[in-house]
């Protein structure tokens, strides 16, 4: 009887502990829209929280960081990518730990790539001549910044844009060849993510 009692108490304690962990993990995301979290957003929050708890190296940084949203796209058959949006003012802090954080997340989401993007938004051109739009909020500036986000930590070595007779843009981006061994398998992922968020087709290669 005593053994059964202790077993029940243990189950109760563990269940409460898990519920508290789940509540705390959901504080890792702050959505502007106020909409309920999607299943993939909940899964990513749980994964980040678990990494925060288990990794002594990443814990100090992750404790003060959060995300703003998560999307999941198909790259090709049986291959998906998880795109995590983070506050723009926290992006540099994410970049410091991104290589290891992405590696750990990709282990948790086996078979899926993980991309981290700054939550960037373009601002419409003002109708008034007196109003000014920040240079970093133009559509072109935002798309350029997102391009760097998508391939980070790989550096862009070259970029060329050609416009065909039908008006379509053909963009080619050359990446740092020193990263070819580590990131060549992600080139299709880079292309799909960039097209999904900007509508532009880009062909990536290593120069």
């Amino acid at each position: 009887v005593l053994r059964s009692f202790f077993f029940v108490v243990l189950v109760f304690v563990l269940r409460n502990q898990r519920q508290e962990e789940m509540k705390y993990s959901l504080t890792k995301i702050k959505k502007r829209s106020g909409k309920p979290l999607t299943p993939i957003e909940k899964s990513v929050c749980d994964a980040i929280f678990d990494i925060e708890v288990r990794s002594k190296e990443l814990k100090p940084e992750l404790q003060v960081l959060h995300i703003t949203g998560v999307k999941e796209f198909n790259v090709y058959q049986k291959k998906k990518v998880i795109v995590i949006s983070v506050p723009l003012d926290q992006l540099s802090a994410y970049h410091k730990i991104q290589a290891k954080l992405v590696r750990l997340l990709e282990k948790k989401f086996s078979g899926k790539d993980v991309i981290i993007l700054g939550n960037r938004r373009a601002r419409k051109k003002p109708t008034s001549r007196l109003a000014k739009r920040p240079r970093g909020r133009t559509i072109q500036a935002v798309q350029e910044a997102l391009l760097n986000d998508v391939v980070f930590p790989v550096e862009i070595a070259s970029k060329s844009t050609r416009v065909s007779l039908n008006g379509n843009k053909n963009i080619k981006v050359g990446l740092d060849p020193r990263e070819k061994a580590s990131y060549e398998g992600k080139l299709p992922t880079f292309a799909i993510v960039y097209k999904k968020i900007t509508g532009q087709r880009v062909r990536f290669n290593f120069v």
Side-chain angles (χ1 to χ4, degrees), residues 13 41 54 59 74 102-103 120 125 130 170 200:
V13 170
E41 286 174 333
R54 296 175 184 274
K59 185 173 183 177
N74 290 320
V102 166
R103 187 166 63 250
R120 304 177 186 274
K125 189 175 182 180
L130 299 177
N170 297 308
Q200 294 190 341

Side-chain angles (χ1 to χ4, degrees), residues 14-28 45-46 49-50 53-54:
L14 291 176
R15 184 180 297 171
N16 282 352
Q17 182 180 353
R18 177 56 182 163
Q19 289 176 346
E20 289 299 316
E21 288 177 351
M22 290 176 67
K23 287 181 182 178
Y24 182 77
S25 72
L26 296 182
T27 66
K28 304 306 293 181
C45 286
D46 287 344
F49 173 71
D50 188 62
V53 171
R54 296 175 184 274

Side-chain angles (χ1 to χ4, degrees), residues 96-110:
K96 294 177 182 178
I97 62 172
Q98 186 163 327
K100 183 167 185 178
L101 177 61
V102 166
R103 187 166 63 250
L104 292 174
L105 286 172
E106 288 179 343
K107 284 183 179 179
K108 289 182 175 292
F109 297 97
S110 180

Side-chain angles (χ1 to χ4, degrees), residues 19-207:
Q19 289 176 346
E20 289 299 316
E21 288 177 351
M22 290 176 67
K23 287 181 182 178
Y24 182 77
S25 72
L26 296 182
T27 66
K28 304 306 293 181
I29 184 170
K30 297 180 181 179
K31 299 179 69 173
R32 290 183 178 180
S33 63
K35 293 181 180 179
L37 302 189
T38 63
I40 187 62
E41 286 174 333
K42 291 179 181 178
S43 295
V44 170
C45 286
D46 287 344
I48 292 176
F49 173 71
D50 188 62
I51 292 171
E52 179 183 317
V53 171
R54 296 175 184 274
S55 174
K56 293 181 180 180
E57 180 183 347
L58 299 184
K59 185 173 183 177
E61 286 79 7
L62 288 176
Q63 281 182 323
V64 296
L65 298 176
H66 65 270
I67 65 177
T68 57
V70 182
K71 297 289 186 182
E72 189 173 35
F73 303 125
N74 290 320
V75 179
Y76 47 79
Q77 189 177 14
K78 296 183 180 180
K79 181 68 174 182
K80 292 186 177 183
V81 55
I82 295 172
V83 180
I84 303 173
S85 297
V86 304
L88 203 54
D89 60 355
Q90 293 186 4
L91 185 59
S92 60
Y94 271 102
H95 280 174
K96 294 177 182 178
I97 62 172
Q98 186 163 327
K100 183 167 185 178
L101 177 61
V102 166
R103 187 166 63 250
L104 292 174
L105 286 172
E106 288 179 343
K107 284 183 179 179
K108 289 182 175 292
F109 297 97
S110 180
K112 298 180 181 181
D113 289 334
V114 174
I115 300 288
I116 296 177
L117 303 178
N119 192 11
R120 304 177 186 274
R121 293 183 181 275
R123 184 179 295 178
K124 292 182 179 180
K125 189 175 182 180
T127 54
S128 172
R129 293 182 179 181
L130 299 177
K132 291 185 178 181
R133 176 175 55 174
R135 185 175 299 178
R137 299 295 295 275
T138 65
I139 293 177
Q140 182 177 353
V142 169
Q143 289 178 343
E144 289 287 340
L146 285 170
L147 186 61
N148 284 286
D149 288 354
V150 167
V151 302
F152 187 87
V154 184
E155 293 184 358
I156 295 176
S158 65
K159 180 186 176 187
S160 62
T161 304
R162 292 183 180 180
V163 181
S164 60
L165 294 176
N166 60 8
N168 291 331
K169 286 184 178 181
N170 297 308
I171 305 173
K172 294 182 180 180
V173 173
L175 303 177
D176 186 347
R178 293 174 295 182
E179 302 289 351
K180 184 175 181 178
S182 300
Y183 291 92
E184 187 171 22
K186 284 193 173 184
L187 294 187
T189 297
F190 293 161
I192 286 294
V193 171
Y194 192 71
K195 185 176 185 299
K196 287 287 187 180
I197 61 178
T198 67
Q200 294 190 341
R201 294 180 181 274
V202 176
R203 191 171 75 180
F204 294 93
N205 60 15
F206 290 93
V207 296

